[in-house]
């Protein structure tokens, strides 16, 4: 049966909720935190298979085209052969991305916890993103 | 001071809103930037696969589906040949075999360029948001300074009265605001009551008008009742008056015509104008009168009626001798008629039997004119004057 839900480890569900409610003051939804966590996992190369009991975070349909483009790209980057790439379907892609989100949420939550105020988290977050964006644009110009 | 505090609070609210907007923006752009290497890698890889395996894009699939459905080329509008249709169907089959890979590939292809644009816009967008936040922070700081200055001034003066007034001012302003609201509510109530009052007055006026009409109607009824009573009384009085006159006249005529004057004592009319004749013993003998006596009574009553009615017309008596037997009564009736004729014109009808020779002798003596109606041939009647005085 095709996967309908985005799942996380039950013991980490609270981390997703805290990031959504406290860090982003309820302005972002479960699947958006999931995507951020997965991106964190990819950035820090931390992919953890889900163990133990699982909890439902959001429904698959809530993922937009742009979200699918990102998670597909992340998952494609993990395969080595063309055949493997062509054999990926949405269920396989979601299973892999859940592992990245499982690893990424630990890092994201740790950064949040290590800053005494959310202001500090965002200052670092913003600086980090700006730095990376400049590097990306620099590379593009170099090409 | 209150105005400054309000402006400061509004600026703080706006600044917080902008900060939240920035947080959400950062959260949404972060996955693109963090996954950028994967995107570049995937974009390159699927490009190579497309080239080597000649995979068309999802857009191509849609074009082929449209062309097959309509049977026409989507670009030039020409009807496709059977050969083309078969070739396109095969292509579509191959494409659909590619399944989800083609879809995912298409998503990455379509989104890649928009992601590039978003990354390019990041710096400008952040600068803009930060500038807005900085301006708001500056305003907040300025308002805070102004508030502090005023507070300092108040503190420097150290005037307890000023402080006390400054403290109670908001209370009175609040009371004033409440009073304005209360006045507004009361005005609304007054308007409501005024409307009710107007409605009641209108209803009252309507009622008074009805009562007035009822009074007027009542007076009309009272007047009509009185009028009716008077009319009834007048009618009764007139009726009684007529009855008395008629009774008196009938009695006078009866006794002047009647030959048995000692036997009868009184003639009267009851309230229904029924005639009664009493004998000398005081008994009502109207039912026992002979034909001649009854005829006398009838003529007396008719004369009385004629007189009381004030009629000047001739008195017509049809066959006054009917039911009268005997010479005396007949003679008396003729005499009576002769006597009446002294006062008013009378016309008497008699049959041939009644108008016999003997009767004619009597009539000739008193009648002014005797006319004979004959009908010998059975068709035409003739009128002959026998006597004219």
């Amino acid at each position: 049966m095709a996967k309908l839900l985005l799942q996380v480890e039950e013991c980490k569900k609270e981390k997703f909720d805290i990031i959504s409610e406290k860090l982003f003051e309820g302005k972002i939804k479960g699947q958006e935190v999931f995507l951020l966590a997965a991106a964190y996992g990819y950035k820090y190369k931390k992919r953890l298979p889900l163990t133990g009991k699982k909890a439902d975070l959001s429904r698959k349909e809530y993922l937009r085209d742009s979200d699918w483009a990102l998670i597909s790209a992340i998952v494609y980057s993990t395969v080595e052969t063309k055949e493997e790439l062509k054999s990926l379907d949405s269920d396989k892609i979601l299973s892999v991305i859940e592992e990245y989100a499982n690893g990424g949420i630990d890092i994201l939550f740790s950064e949040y916890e290590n800053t005494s105020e959310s202001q500090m988290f965002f200052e670092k977050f913003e600086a980090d993103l700006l730095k990376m964006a400049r590097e990306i644009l620099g590379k593009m110009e170099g090409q | 001071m209150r105005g400054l505090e309000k402006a400061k609070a509004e600026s703080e609210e706006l600044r917080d809103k902008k900060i939240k907007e920035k947080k959400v923006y950062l959260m949404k752009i972060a996955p693109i930037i963090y996954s950028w290497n994967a995107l570049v890698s995937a974009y390159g890889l699927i490009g190579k696969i497309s080239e080597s395996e000649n995979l068309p894009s999802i857009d191509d699939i849609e074009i082929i589906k449209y062309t097959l459905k309509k049977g026409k080329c989507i670009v030039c509008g020409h009807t496709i040949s059977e050969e083309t249709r078969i070739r396109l169907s095969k292509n579509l089959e191959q494409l659909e075999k590619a399944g989800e890979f083609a879809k995912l590939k298409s998503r990455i292809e379509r989104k890649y360029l928009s992601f590039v644009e978003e990354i390019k816009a990041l710096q400008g967008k952040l600068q803009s948001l930060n500038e807005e936040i900085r301006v708001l922070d500056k305003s907040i700081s300025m308002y805070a300074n102004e508030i502090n200055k005023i507070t300092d001034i108040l503190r420097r003066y150290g005037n307890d009265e000023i402080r006390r007034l400054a403290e109670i001012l908001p209370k009175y302003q609040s009371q004033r605001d409440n009073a304005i609201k209360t006045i507004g509510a009361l005005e609304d109530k007054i308007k409501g009551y005024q409307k009710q009052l107007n409605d009641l007055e209108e209803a009252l006026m309507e009622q008074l008008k009805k009562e007035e009409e009822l009074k007027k109607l009542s007076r009309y009824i009272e007047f009509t009742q009185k009028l009716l009573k008077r009319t009834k009384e007048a009618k009764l009085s007139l009726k009684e008056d007529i009855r008395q006159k008629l009774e008196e006249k009938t009695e006078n005529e009866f006794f002047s015509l009647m030959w048995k004057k000692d036997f009868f004592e009184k003639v009267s009319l009851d309230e229904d104008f029924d005639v009664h004749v009493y004998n000398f013993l005081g008994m009502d003998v109207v039912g026992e009168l002979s034909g001649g006596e009854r005829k006398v009574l009838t003529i007396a009553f008719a004369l009385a009626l004629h007189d009381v009615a004030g009629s000047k017309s001739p008195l017509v008596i049809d066959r006054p001798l009917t039911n009268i037997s005997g010479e005396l009564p007949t003679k008396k009736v003729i005499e009576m008629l002769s006597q009446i004729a002294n006062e008013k014109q009378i016309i008497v009808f008699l049959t041939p039997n009644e108008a016999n020779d003997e009767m004619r002798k009597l009539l000739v003596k008193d009648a002014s004119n005797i006319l004979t109606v004959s009908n010998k041939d059975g068709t035409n009647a003739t009128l002959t004057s026998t006597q004219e005085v």
Side-chain angles (χ1 to χ4, degrees):
Chain A
M1 191 180 165
K3 263 178 86 67
L4 298 172
L5 301 158
L6 300 176
Q7 291 184 308
V8 295
E9 286 181 5
E10 194 179 58
C11 59
K12 292 183 183 176
K13 171 79 166 45
E14 195 184 3
K15 288 182 180 177
F16 284 91
D17 293 341
I18 289 171
I19 294 293
S20 170
E21 295 299 322
K22 294 196 173 168
L23 187 59
F24 289 100
E25 301 171 64
K27 293 282 176 187
I28 64 169
K29 298 183 178 74
Q31 76 273 13
E32 290 170 318
V33 182
F34 178 88
L35 194 66
L36 181 63
Y40 253 78
Y42 174 76
K43 181 191 169 196
Y44 291 102
K45 299 185 178 10
K46 193 173 179 188
R47 179 179 168 185
L48 289 178
L50 275 72
T51 56
K53 213 170 173 185
K54 292 173 186 175
D56 301 334
L57 190 72
S58 179
R59 292 183 68 83
K60 189 175 80 172
E61 304 91 80
Y62 294 154
L63 291 172
R64 300 159 300 176
D65 263 10
S66 56
D67 300 335
W68 274 108
L70 289 175
I71 62 176
S72 304
I74 291 171
V75 177
Y76 287 175
S77 71
T78 64
V79 298
E80 293 177 355
T81 63
K82 279 196 288 185
E83 285 65 34
E84 200 183 347
L85 181 72
K86 286 164 74 179
S87 71
L88 285 170
D89 59 17
S90 62
D91 280 2
K92 283 179 192 167
I93 288 171
L94 286 179
S95 296
V96 174
I97 210 70
E98 278 174 352
E99 292 177 7
Y100 275 113
N102 192 36
I105 190 68
D106 292 335
I107 303 167
L108 178 60
F109 193 74
S110 173
E111 283 187 4
Y112 164 69
E113 276 195 318
N114 289 338
T115 47
S116 55
E117 287 177 17
S118 69
Q119 176 69 15
M120 285 172 67
F121 171 88
F122 277 105
E123 279 173 8
K124 185 178 174 300
F125 190 47
E126 183 182 341
D128 197 20
L129 286 171
L130 264 176
K131 187 184 164 205
M132 286 183 77
R134 283 187 192 123
E135 284 172 4
I136 291 166
L137 292 172
K139 276 183 191 174
M140 281 183 190
E141 281 174 12
Q143 286 169 353
Chain B
M1 180 101 157
R2 271 167 58 86
L4 285 169
E5 281 171 347
K6 193 181 171 191
K8 182 174 168 266
E10 283 171 358
S11 295
E12 282 171 344
E13 193 182 333
L14 200 56
R15 179 198 57 190
D16 292 346
K17 201 174 160 187
K18 285 287 165 192
I19 288 172
K20 280 179 192 170
E21 190 185 326
K22 191 173 92 170
K23 283 180 183 177
V24 172
Y25 172 68
L26 288 173
M27 194 287 303
K28 288 189 175 171
I29 194 88
I32 300 171
I33 293 174
Y34 289 161
S35 313
W36 187 252
N37 288 339
L39 270 166
V40 173
S41 163
Y43 188 66
L45 186 60
I46 58 174
K48 280 179 191 169
I49 292 171
S50 299
E51 278 174 23
S52 63
E53 303 200 5
N54 201 23
L55 282 175
S57 69
I58 288 293
D59 294 336
D60 294 336
I61 293 174
E62 295 305 319
I63 290 168
I64 293 169
K65 278 184 180 175
Y66 178 87
T67 307
L68 285 170
K69 189 181 172 187
K70 298 284 177 183
K72 285 180 182 176
C73 173
I74 194 169
V75 180
C76 65
H78 285 148
T79 306
I80 58 168
S81 65
E82 182 60 20
E83 190 187 343
T84 310
R85 197 189 63 76
I86 293 166
R87 190 157 44 81
L88 284 174
S89 297
K90 279 181 185 171
N91 283 349
L92 184 63
E93 200 178 326
Q94 284 174 349
L95 286 172
E96 284 177 340
K97 275 183 191 167
E100 289 191 64
F101 173 73
K103 282 185 196 168
L104 294 170
K105 181 182 90 54
S106 168
R107 279 175 182 154
I108 292 172
E109 282 175 339
R110 279 188 293 179
K111 289 291 168 186
Y112 180 79
L113 290 177
S114 70
F115 289 155
V116 171
E117 291 306 314
E118 284 190 50
I119 292 170
K120 282 182 182 172
L122 170 71
Q123 195 164 344
K125 175 86 176 167
L126 279 176
Q127 273 178 353
S128 167
L129 281 168
N130 285 337
E131 179 60 18
E132 285 181 71
I133 292 165
R134 196 188 60 77
V135 169
L136 286 164
D137 274 337
K138 198 176 168 186
S139 298
I140 292 162
S141 176
M142 186 191 75
Y143 292 133
N145 284 340
E146 288 298 316
I147 290 164
N148 287 338
K149 273 184 198 169
I150 293 167
T151 312
D152 282 348
I153 289 164
L154 287 171
R155 196 180 297 123
R156 219 169 26 249
Y157 276 110
N159 188 325
D160 290 343
E161 185 59 14
I162 292 172
R163 265 202 298 278
R164 194 184 67 76
L165 289 172
E167 279 169 13
I168 62 170
L169 182 64
K171 184 182 152 193
Y172 284 112
Q173 282 172 335
S174 171
Q175 283 179 353
R176 182 202 59 192
D177 293 343
N178 288 337
I180 290 168
K181 283 179 191 168
T182 309
I183 288 166
L186 286 170
E187 279 174 350
D188 285 346
K189 277 188 179 177
I190 288 168
K191 277 181 193 169
Y193 290 142
Q194 187 61 48
K195 189 178 177 306
Q196 283 182 12
L197 189 62
N198 290 344
D199 290 347
L200 283 171
E201 276 179 358
E202 203 174 313
L204 185 65
M205 290 307 289
E206 190 69 25
Q207 198 60 35
L208 285 171
K209 202 173 161 188
K210 279 183 186 171
E211 275 190 24
E212 192 58 37
E213 283 173 1
L214 280 172
K215 275 182 187 172
K216 206 183 275 183
L217 197 62
S218 178
R219 283 199 298 272
Y220 285 151
I221 292 168
E222 200 179 335
F223 171 75
T224 312
Q225 282 173 337
K226 279 182 185 173
L227 194 66
L228 187 65
K229 192 183 167 191
R230 293 282 160 83
T231 310
K232 277 181 180 174
E233 284 171 0
K235 183 188 159 192
L236 283 174
S237 172
L238 189 63
K239 189 179 169 185
E240 179 58 20
D241 192 34
I242 291 168
R243 192 197 65 75
Q244 282 178 9
K245 282 182 182 170
L246 204 56
E247 183 182 69
E248 190 184 342
K249 286 273 179 189
T250 306
E251 190 176 48
N252 289 343
E253 294 292 347
F254 180 77
F255 281 107
S256 79
L257 299 170
M258 179 48 71
W259 50 96
K260 289 164 69 177
K261 295 185 193 299
D262 295 337
F263 180 75
F264 299 106
E265 187 174 293
K266 184 184 173 190
V267 175
S268 74
L269 266 68
D270 63 17
E271 58 184 10
D272 294 326
F273 287 72
D274 286 336
V275 183
H276 302 274
V277 179
Y278 299 92
N279 64 12
F280 64 98
L281 293 171
M283 293 168 66
D284 187 357
V285 293
V286 74
E288 297 160 17
L289 294 176
S290 67
E293 289 165 348
R294 190 176 289 274
K295 190 62 67 179
V296 169
L297 181 63
T298 304
I299 290 168
F301 185 73
L303 286 170
L305 204 57
H306 197 255
D307 193 45
V308 169
S311 176
K312 303 291 182 191
S313 61
L315 187 63
V316 180
I317 304 172
D318 186 23
R319 297 183 64 198
L321 302 177
T322 312
N323 298 327
I324 297 174
S325 57
E327 190 182 336
L328 184 64
T330 303
K331 195 178 176 183
K332 282 291 179 187
V333 169
I334 295 300
E335 283 175 3
M336 177 190 76
L337 293 174
S338 174
Q339 191 180 331
I340 294 164
N342 292 330
E343 294 176 12
K344 56 184 76 205
Q345 184 184 7
I346 61 169
I347 299 166
V348 177
F349 290 100
L350 296 172
T351 63
N353 288 338
E354 289 168 342
N356 52 27
D357 292 342
E358 197 172 342
M359 182 58 65
R360 280 180 180 273
K361 283 178 191 171
L362 288 171
L363 285 174
V364 165
K365 184 181 157 193
D366 295 317
S368 58
N369 198 359
I370 297 172
L371 296 169
T372 303
V373 180
S374 60
N375 184 18
K376 287 179 181 172
D377 60 0
T379 52
N380 297 318
T382 54
L383 189 63
T384 313
S385 177
T386 309
Q387 177 184 344
E388 194 165 345
V389 178

PDB file of all heavy atoms in Angstrom, chain A residues 82-98:
ATOM      1  N   LYS A  82      22.176   4.710 -12.655  1.00  0.00           N
ATOM      2  CA  LYS A  82      20.993   5.186 -13.362  1.00  0.00           C
ATOM      3  C   LYS A  82      19.785   4.293 -13.070  1.00  0.00           C
ATOM      4  O   LYS A  82      18.670   4.777 -12.895  1.00  0.00           O
ATOM      5  CB  LYS A  82      21.244   5.185 -14.881  1.00  0.00           C
ATOM      6  CG  LYS A  82      22.005   6.379 -15.360  1.00  0.00           C
ATOM      7  CD  LYS A  82      21.879   6.526 -16.844  1.00  0.00           C
ATOM      8  CE  LYS A  82      22.672   5.443 -17.567  1.00  0.00           C
ATOM      9  NZ  LYS A  82      22.666   5.621 -19.036  1.00  0.00           N
ATOM     10  N   GLU A  83      20.037   2.995 -13.012  1.00  0.00           N
ATOM     11  CA  GLU A  83      18.945   2.045 -12.786  1.00  0.00           C
ATOM     12  C   GLU A  83      18.313   2.264 -11.408  1.00  0.00           C
ATOM     13  O   GLU A  83      17.107   2.244 -11.252  1.00  0.00           O
ATOM     14  CB  GLU A  83      19.441   0.592 -12.915  1.00  0.00           C
ATOM     15  CG  GLU A  83      19.674   0.142 -14.331  1.00  0.00           C
ATOM     16  CD  GLU A  83      20.799   0.914 -15.015  1.00  0.00           C
ATOM     17  OE1 GLU A  83      21.790   1.297 -14.350  1.00  0.00           O
ATOM     18  OE2 GLU A  83      20.652   1.195 -16.230  1.00  0.00           O
ATOM     19  N   GLU A  84      19.213   2.468 -10.457  1.00  0.00           N
ATOM     20  CA  GLU A  84      18.731   2.713  -9.091  1.00  0.00           C
ATOM     21  C   GLU A  84      17.874   3.983  -9.064  1.00  0.00           C
ATOM     22  O   GLU A  84      16.829   4.028  -8.424  1.00  0.00           O
ATOM     23  CB  GLU A  84      19.940   2.857  -8.160  1.00  0.00           C
ATOM     24  CG  GLU A  84      19.587   2.624  -6.691  1.00  0.00           C
ATOM     25  CD  GLU A  84      20.794   2.849  -5.778  1.00  0.00           C
ATOM     26  OE1 GLU A  84      21.932   2.933  -6.288  1.00  0.00           O
ATOM     27  OE2 GLU A  84      20.579   2.964  -4.577  1.00  0.00           O
ATOM     28  N   LEU A  85      18.360   4.983  -9.769  1.00  0.00           N
ATOM     29  CA  LEU A  85      17.633   6.268  -9.825  1.00  0.00           C
ATOM     30  C   LEU A  85      16.252   6.084 -10.453  1.00  0.00           C
ATOM     31  O   LEU A  85      15.240   6.570  -9.921  1.00  0.00           O
ATOM     32  CB  LEU A  85      18.447   7.272 -10.653  1.00  0.00           C
ATOM     33  CG  LEU A  85      17.846   8.665 -10.788  1.00  0.00           C
ATOM     34  CD1 LEU A  85      17.936   9.410  -9.482  1.00  0.00           C
ATOM     35  CD2 LEU A  85      18.576   9.449 -11.861  1.00  0.00           C
ATOM     36  N   LYS A  86      16.220   5.367 -11.555  1.00  0.00           N
ATOM     37  CA  LYS A  86      14.951   5.200 -12.262  1.00  0.00           C
ATOM     38  C   LYS A  86      13.975   4.309 -11.510  1.00  0.00           C
ATOM     39  O   LYS A  86      12.758   4.342 -11.771  1.00  0.00           O
ATOM     40  CB  LYS A  86      15.200   4.640 -13.669  1.00  0.00           C
ATOM     41  CG  LYS A  86      15.774   5.717 -14.604  1.00  0.00           C
ATOM     42  CD  LYS A  86      16.370   5.141 -15.836  1.00  0.00           C
ATOM     43  CE  LYS A  86      15.323   4.663 -16.800  1.00  0.00           C
ATOM     44  NZ  LYS A  86      15.947   4.111 -18.032  1.00  0.00           N
ATOM     45  N   SER A  87      14.519   3.532 -10.597  1.00  0.00           N
ATOM     46  CA  SER A  87      13.624   2.631  -9.855  1.00  0.00           C
ATOM     47  C   SER A  87      12.974   3.320  -8.650  1.00  0.00           C
ATOM     48  O   SER A  87      12.113   2.743  -7.981  1.00  0.00           O
ATOM     49  CB  SER A  87      14.410   1.403  -9.372  1.00  0.00           C
ATOM     50  OG  SER A  87      15.297   1.797  -8.342  1.00  0.00           O
ATOM     51  N   LEU A  88      13.400   4.541  -8.370  1.00  0.00           N
ATOM     52  CA  LEU A  88      12.829   5.231  -7.188  1.00  0.00           C
ATOM     53  C   LEU A  88      11.380   5.663  -7.455  1.00  0.00           C
ATOM     54  O   LEU A  88      11.107   6.339  -8.432  1.00  0.00           O
ATOM     55  CB  LEU A  88      13.660   6.478  -6.858  1.00  0.00           C
ATOM     56  CG  LEU A  88      15.018   6.244  -6.198  1.00  0.00           C
ATOM     57  CD1 LEU A  88      15.800   7.541  -6.165  1.00  0.00           C
ATOM     58  CD2 LEU A  88      14.855   5.693  -4.785  1.00  0.00           C
ATOM     59  N   ASP A  89      10.513   5.277  -6.564  1.00  0.00           N
ATOM     60  CA  ASP A  89       9.143   5.796  -6.651  1.00  0.00           C
ATOM     61  C   ASP A  89       8.885   6.673  -5.426  1.00  0.00           C
ATOM     62  O   ASP A  89       9.767   6.833  -4.576  1.00  0.00           O
ATOM     63  CB  ASP A  89       8.115   4.659  -6.755  1.00  0.00           C
ATOM     64  CG  ASP A  89       8.179   3.717  -5.579  1.00  0.00           C
ATOM     65  OD1 ASP A  89       8.775   4.102  -4.550  1.00  0.00           O
ATOM     66  OD2 ASP A  89       7.640   2.605  -5.678  1.00  0.00           O
ATOM     67  N   SER A  90       7.694   7.248  -5.326  1.00  0.00           N
ATOM     68  CA  SER A  90       7.443   8.220  -4.249  1.00  0.00           C
ATOM     69  C   SER A  90       7.537   7.572  -2.864  1.00  0.00           C
ATOM     70  O   SER A  90       7.988   8.218  -1.907  1.00  0.00           O
ATOM     71  CB  SER A  90       6.080   8.895  -4.436  1.00  0.00           C
ATOM     72  OG  SER A  90       5.053   7.947  -4.377  1.00  0.00           O
ATOM     73  N   ASP A  91       7.150   6.310  -2.738  1.00  0.00           N
ATOM     74  CA  ASP A  91       7.247   5.646  -1.429  1.00  0.00           C
ATOM     75  C   ASP A  91       8.713   5.524  -0.984  1.00  0.00           C
ATOM     76  O   ASP A  91       9.054   5.809   0.163  1.00  0.00           O
ATOM     77  CB  ASP A  91       6.627   4.242  -1.508  1.00  0.00           C
ATOM     78  CG  ASP A  91       5.100   4.314  -1.422  1.00  0.00           C
ATOM     79  OD1 ASP A  91       4.577   5.444  -1.352  1.00  0.00           O
ATOM     80  OD2 ASP A  91       4.443   3.259  -1.437  1.00  0.00           O
ATOM     81  N   LYS A  92       9.550   5.105  -1.933  1.00  0.00           N
ATOM     82  CA  LYS A  92      10.976   4.947  -1.595  1.00  0.00           C
ATOM     83  C   LYS A  92      11.584   6.304  -1.242  1.00  0.00           C
ATOM     84  O   LYS A  92      12.356   6.437  -0.299  1.00  0.00           O
ATOM     85  CB  LYS A  92      11.736   4.330  -2.776  1.00  0.00           C
ATOM     86  CG  LYS A  92      11.512   2.832  -2.919  1.00  0.00           C
ATOM     87  CD  LYS A  92      12.283   2.310  -4.126  1.00  0.00           C
ATOM     88  CE  LYS A  92      11.812   0.886  -4.448  1.00  0.00           C
ATOM     89  NZ  LYS A  92      12.288   0.448  -5.772  1.00  0.00           N
ATOM     90  N   ILE A  93      11.208   7.299  -2.033  1.00  0.00           N
ATOM     91  CA  ILE A  93      11.738   8.662  -1.792  1.00  0.00           C
ATOM     92  C   ILE A  93      11.338   9.146  -0.399  1.00  0.00           C
ATOM     93  O   ILE A  93      12.155   9.671   0.350  1.00  0.00           O
ATOM     94  CB  ILE A  93      11.238   9.625  -2.894  1.00  0.00           C
ATOM     95  CG1 ILE A  93      11.958   9.298  -4.196  1.00  0.00           C
ATOM     96  CG2 ILE A  93      11.450  11.087  -2.513  1.00  0.00           C
ATOM     97  CD1 ILE A  93      11.414  10.028  -5.406  1.00  0.00           C
ATOM     98  N   LEU A  94      10.078   8.924  -0.041  1.00  0.00           N
ATOM     99  CA  LEU A  94       9.612   9.387   1.280  1.00  0.00           C
ATOM    100  C   LEU A  94      10.313   8.628   2.413  1.00  0.00           C
ATOM    101  O   LEU A  94      10.644   9.220   3.445  1.00  0.00           O
ATOM    102  CB  LEU A  94       8.091   9.211   1.397  1.00  0.00           C
ATOM    103  CG  LEU A  94       7.238  10.217   0.602  1.00  0.00           C
ATOM    104  CD1 LEU A  94       5.758   9.933   0.787  1.00  0.00           C
ATOM    105  CD2 LEU A  94       7.533  11.656   1.024  1.00  0.00           C
ATOM    106  N   SER A  95      10.560   7.356   2.205  1.00  0.00           N
ATOM    107  CA  SER A  95      11.238   6.579   3.250  1.00  0.00           C
ATOM    108  C   SER A  95      12.652   7.113   3.489  1.00  0.00           C
ATOM    109  O   SER A  95      13.086   7.260   4.640  1.00  0.00           O
ATOM    110  CB  SER A  95      11.345   5.104   2.835  1.00  0.00           C
ATOM    111  OG  SER A  95      10.056   4.570   2.730  1.00  0.00           O
ATOM    112  N   VAL A  96      13.359   7.436   2.395  1.00  0.00           N
ATOM    113  CA  VAL A  96      14.724   7.965   2.534  1.00  0.00           C
ATOM    114  C   VAL A  96      14.703   9.344   3.200  1.00  0.00           C
ATOM    115  O   VAL A  96      15.484   9.624   4.114  1.00  0.00           O
ATOM    116  CB  VAL A  96      15.420   8.049   1.148  1.00  0.00           C
ATOM    117  CG1 VAL A  96      16.789   8.727   1.260  1.00  0.00           C
ATOM    118  CG2 VAL A  96      15.579   6.660   0.553  1.00  0.00           C
ATOM    119  N   ILE A  97      13.735  10.176   2.755  1.00  0.00           N
ATOM    120  CA  ILE A  97      13.707  11.552   3.285  1.00  0.00           C
ATOM    121  C   ILE A  97      13.324  11.561   4.764  1.00  0.00           C
ATOM    122  O   ILE A  97      13.752  12.438   5.525  1.00  0.00           O
ATOM    123  CB  ILE A  97      12.788  12.464   2.418  1.00  0.00           C
ATOM    124  CG1 ILE A  97      13.299  13.921   2.446  1.00  0.00           C
ATOM    125  CG2 ILE A  97      11.344  12.436   2.870  1.00  0.00           C
ATOM    126  CD1 ILE A  97      14.582  14.110   1.697  1.00  0.00           C
ATOM    127  N   GLU A  98      12.511  10.574   5.183  1.00  0.00           N
ATOM    128  CA  GLU A  98      12.174  10.460   6.611  1.00  0.00           C
ATOM    129  C   GLU A  98      13.447  10.216   7.436  1.00  0.00           C
ATOM    130  O   GLU A  98      13.584  10.728   8.548  1.00  0.00           O
ATOM    131  CB  GLU A  98      11.189   9.307   6.825  1.00  0.00           C
ATOM    132  CG  GLU A  98       9.737   9.693   6.523  1.00  0.00           C
ATOM    133  CD  GLU A  98       8.769   8.521   6.604  1.00  0.00           C
ATOM    134  OE1 GLU A  98       9.226   7.368   6.742  1.00  0.00           O
ATOM    135  OE2 GLU A  98       7.549   8.762   6.513  1.00  0.00           O
TER     136      GLU A  98
END
